[in-house]
Amino acid sequence: MRVRMRTAVALVGALALSLATGCAKDGAAGSGANTVTYWLWDANQLPAYQACAKGFEKENPGLKVKITQMGWADYWTKLTASFIAGTEPDVFTDHIQRFGQFADLNVLEPLDDLNIDDSAYQAGLAANWKGQDGHRYGAPKDWDTVALFYNQKMVKEAGLTGEELDTLSWNPKDGGTFEKAIAHLTVDKNGKRGDEKGFDKKNVKVYGLATAGAGDGDGQTTWSPFTGSAGWHYTDKARWGTEYQYDSKTFQSVVDWYFGLAKKGYLAPFTDYTDGANPANAQVASGKAATSFDGAWMISTYYGTKGLDVGTAPTPVGPTGKRATMMNGLADSITKDARNKAGAKKWVQYLASNECQKTVGSYGIVFPATPDGTQAAVAAYKKKGIDVSAFTEPVTDKKNSTTFSFPITDYAADVYSLMRPAMQGVFANDAPVSGLTKTNDQINLILSQ
């Protein structure tokens, strides 16, 4: 198919780049018959998984785990290239956003013989890793949700309280109490707040809300808490949908309102965001923004920032009467051409076990997929003086909250390549949201191939 050819060309291009920079040379080479190679991207989680590796090696004499950690961007470039170069690891940390592409390329090993019990993990995590063929390709690892981080000093100076931020609501017409709070937290160079007469939106000193970019096609830490609480869904089905719904009036009205916050001067502009150099947490840390939506994986980063007294609040209640947050769950996958497939399966089974997940939870870095692992993490955060209820309550309180997953479809890379510039056009260049209908048609045409 034409689309598959485009994806293949993209992969070849990634391989060429990797070879040119020399990053595909070490790969899984040099691993012995008794070694399982394992790749992950999060440096903060490395000590926890080194501890799991020790436990695994003790239970499996003769087997060794070789862990390789690299940064997010390098991780995916190198992994993609490794599938072509034949240097892929035996096991790697997988992201649901990439699952569709890897399943399409047929580079993952089915894990049905591991007998993963869906009920052993937080609801929905295990089911997300089943392909359209009915086979499982990932063992649940951890999960995260999104909440509002805020500078407690700035909130207090604005005359607001944490309790008020905990009960915010919004709507796409006037923004509700959420927009009022963000406006009041915004301060221009003359000390005028965003809701005061004479506010200069062209010369803002402190933005009420940090920017995390345009959100691409998922909006995880940008617009998704709002589209989710407005009742919108990415696709026509929860998993493996065949039609995206970026042409929805609900979606487009919410996105228009959200990016409209920047026009009013309350949301930091697109140009203030750089994924590596100036992400949302850096804007809050520098005092450029009072609040930011961010994921649970950033808890330790925010609370560990020197001189920053931070608090968290749940996402605001939307038109549906509920809060909403993406609940993303990572998994461990085995590559189809793993050199030590038998050892890899034992390692993945151990990674998915309550024993390993409780170990990971005890480090207070992420929320492991098993309930016991999650409780271990909550306890570890509590010891550090960190209240993580803004992240955990959406998972347990289904009456007042709703969670949703990344869109899981074929041709994920193609969807990304179309939605990324389209969303940037809306945010950065004031392109009309109605133009997303055309982009949606292009995406659905691809999915129909």
Side-chain angles (χ1 to χ4, degrees), residues 168-395:
L168 296 177
S169 62
W170 78 279
N171 65 75
K173 292 182 178 179
D174 61 18
T177 57
F178 171 79
E179 183 171 330
K180 288 181 179 178
I182 296 303
H184 193 62
L185 287 167
T186 302
V187 184
D188 70 13
K189 67 176 183 178
N190 297 314
K192 292 285 186 180
R193 294 191 176 274
D195 56 357
E196 293 179 336
K197 186 176 181 180
F199 169 69
D200 185 359
K201 66 180 182 181
K202 294 184 178 179
N203 291 283
V204 178
K205 182 180 180 181
V206 179
Y207 290 97
L209 181 63
T211 179
D216 303 329
D218 58 81
Q220 182 177 21
T221 58
T222 55
W223 42 260
S224 75
F226 302 102
T227 54
S229 58
W232 177 80
H233 303 283
Y234 295 98
T235 58
D236 57 341
K237 292 189 290 185
R239 302 178 183 89
W240 302 109
T242 57
E243 290 186 353
Y244 276 83
Q245 301 183 131
Y246 298 119
D247 59 344
S248 160
K249 290 183 179 179
T250 297
F251 173 77
Q252 293 182 9
S253 68
V254 173
V255 167
D256 195 38
W257 164 78
Y258 176 79
F259 291 133
L261 296 174
K263 296 178 184 178
K264 296 175 182 178
Y266 311 153
L267 168 67
F270 177 80
T271 51
D272 275 22
Y273 174 76
T274 306
D275 190 22
N278 197 37
N281 68 288
Q283 296 164 48
V284 174
S286 67
K288 186 69 174 178
T291 72
S292 65
F293 284 106
D294 224 327
W297 63 91
M298 293 295 292
I299 292 173
S300 296
T301 299
Y302 278 89
Y303 280 90
T305 300
K306 188 176 181 180
L308 178 64
D309 186 9
V310 69
T312 55
T315 59
V317 176
T320 60
K322 290 187 175 184
R323 309 178 187 281
T325 171
M326 180 179 286
M327 183 181 180
N328 182 37
L330 303 182
D332 289 304
S333 293
I334 297 176
T335 58
K336 194 166 188 178
D337 293 329
R339 290 160 182 75
N340 188 350
K341 195 166 290 186
K345 289 188 175 183
K346 288 183 179 180
W347 172 233
V348 169
Q349 197 159 38
Y350 186 81
L351 287 170
S353 71
N354 208 30
E355 181 180 355
C356 175
Q357 301 219 351
K358 286 170 66 177
T359 296
V360 173
S362 70
Y363 280 74
I365 300 297
V366 294
F367 298 120
T370 65
D372 286 346
T374 295
Q375 288 305 311
V378 171
Y381 281 121
K382 188 176 182 179
K383 285 184 179 180
K384 299 177 183 180
I386 302 173
D387 177 7
V388 295
S389 58
F391 298 92
T392 58
E393 285 183 1
V395 177

Side-chain angles (χ1 to χ4, degrees), residues 100-154:
Q101 178 186 0
F102 291 149
D104 191 43
L105 294 170
N106 195 29
V107 294
L108 304 179
E109 176 73 11
L111 305 180
D112 305 286
D113 54 349
L114 298 187
N115 297 316
I116 298 294
D117 180 3
D118 287 23
S119 65
Y121 307 94
Q122 299 287 0
L125 295 183
N128 277 351
W129 291 94
K130 291 181 180 178
Q132 296 184 80
D133 58 6
H135 294 299
R136 179 182 302 285
Y137 292 98
K141 180 183 188 68
D142 57 39
W143 61 270
D144 56 69
T145 51
V146 173
L148 185 73
F149 288 89
Y150 59 89
N151 182 315
Q152 296 209 58
K153 181 181 179 181
M154 290 183 176

